[in-house]
Amino acid sequence: MRREDLPDLLAFSVVAEQGSFRGAASKLGLSPSALSHAVRRLEDQLGAALLHRTTRSVAPTEAGARFLRILQPALNDIDRALLDLADTSGRIAGHVRINAHRNAAELLVLPRLGTLQKDHPEIVVELSIDEGLTDIVAEGFDVGIRIGERLAEDVVAVRLSPDHQTAVVAAPSYLAEMGTPDTPDDLQRHRCIGYRFVTSRRLFVWRFAEGDREFEAHLEPSLIVDDVQMSQRAAMLGLGLAFVPRDAVEDQLQAGQLVEVLQRWSVTMPGDFLYYPSRRTLSLAARTVIDLLRKRGD
């Protein structure tokens, strides 16, 4: 291998890690066709097929897996050398891609970016809003932010927020028209705003607590959305009752735009966690962003 082959070696390694040319292209800032040519060039030079390619997935061949076991430690050594050099120089730069649900992006990420821009102006953050369960590795993200109960296995998780308290909220105009529910059973006589998960397409089930017992309310929503912010907005417009994390609507409650009902039946839900695959070597820029966000959760 020659030094000029290093880009092709990196291309093969990242495509194998991401499991797709599209994810690798996003991570490396190249086009999928450029990566395909790089891997093909490497395969021609070695005289062996390194990747199985189908229309749906990419995976190493037996020869590719053997080669990757030899190649990956060397690339990790280069990564560590570059990180050590960056640590020594004091310059931290790079592109960090974060995948987060909307409330986490608004409440946990955006408020911290001013400090990041001031302290590390050469770090570029790309924030993607996603209410689904995107595979952050396949899509080329460095880190994701999800509610604790929705985390995948085999990840490093960093808590960013305390557990959430739920709230059922409505606009004053809706309550004036329809009355205030006194118990969860009363919801059957009210217009409720349902939330549908983007990935599974399941409807979110409203949960309540009475003492130590938790139970579910099976409702027929009059409006269904797949965006939490849209649910809050619909409630503010008087379209019905919404089931939301209380911290997400704190400002609207303080301003009187929303009113909380059924407060004594509120339940606790897991907080938000930043996560990344345990097998991934993080760039210094990504580590810096994680450390900054972690301070919010401490």
Side-chain angles (χ1 to χ4, degrees), residues 54-264:
T54 70
T55 56
R56 301 185 63 181
S57 65
V58 176
T61 63
E62 183 178 348
R66 289 200 307 269
F67 184 51
L68 197 61
R69 284 195 293 270
I70 299 171
L71 174 64
Q72 198 60 59
L75 292 177
N76 288 340
D77 286 342
I78 294 173
D79 282 343
R80 282 191 289 270
L82 292 172
L83 291 177
D84 289 343
L85 181 61
D87 282 332
T88 302
S89 69
R91 176 179 176 270
I92 305 176
H95 196 111
V96 181
R97 301 187 72 220
I98 301 175
N99 182 285
H101 65 89
R102 187 176 299 278
N103 280 340
E106 292 185 354
L107 300 177
L108 302 176
V109 180
L110 289 180
R112 309 294 294 182
L113 293 187
T115 300
L116 182 71
Q117 291 173 341
K118 179 181 178 181
D119 295 344
H120 305 287
E122 294 185 81
I123 293 179
V124 176
V125 172
E126 180 178 345
L127 181 58
S128 178
I129 307 303
D130 180 10
E131 299 291 345
L133 294 175
T134 293
D135 184 335
I136 62 171
V137 173
E139 297 300 325
F141 290 97
D142 295 288
V143 296
I145 300 177
R146 289 287 174 269
I147 293 174
E149 66 183 3
R150 304 178 72 192
L151 288 176
E153 297 180 357
D154 191 28
V155 298
V156 177
V158 178
R159 178 180 281 275
L160 295 185
S161 76
D163 289 343
H164 298 293
Q165 203 69 24
T166 63
V168 178
V169 297
S173 60
Y174 173 86
L175 298 177
E177 175 190 357
M178 302 296 296
T180 300
D182 293 320
T183 72
D185 289 338
D186 294 340
L187 293 174
Q188 301 293 338
R189 298 188 293 275
H190 280 266
R191 297 195 299 266
C192 296
I193 302 166
Y195 174 82
R196 190 180 298 280
F197 290 106
V198 174
T199 304
S200 69
R201 307 309 300 167
R202 290 186 299 105
L203 277 176
F204 176 76
V205 178
W206 295 19
R207 299 206 309 258
F208 297 95
E210 186 174 29
D212 295 331
R213 182 180 71 91
E214 286 197 9
F215 59 94
E216 299 177 348
H218 297 282
L219 308 171
E220 293 292 337
S222 60
L223 171 66
I224 299 174
V225 299
D226 60 6
D227 182 277
V228 173
Q229 191 175 68
M230 187 65 68
S231 174
Q232 298 166 13
R233 179 63 178 161
M236 291 171 61
L237 290 172
L239 298 181
L241 295 154
F243 189 98
V244 296
R246 182 179 293 138
D247 54 4
V249 294
E250 194 64 45
D251 290 344
Q252 290 85 352
L253 291 172
Q254 291 292 333
Q257 295 171 305
L258 290 173
V259 176
E260 183 176 2
V261 300
L262 304 179
Q263 188 169 359
R264 58 175 289 203

Side-chain angles (χ1 to χ4, degrees), residues 260-282:
E260 183 176 2
V261 300
L262 304 179
Q263 188 169 359
R264 58 175 289 203
W265 282 275
S266 175
V267 299
T268 301
M269 299 180 65
D272 291 291
F273 288 78
L274 181 148
Y275 69 98
Y276 55 90
S278 58
R279 62 184 179 278
R280 171 169 291 181
T281 301
L282 291 173

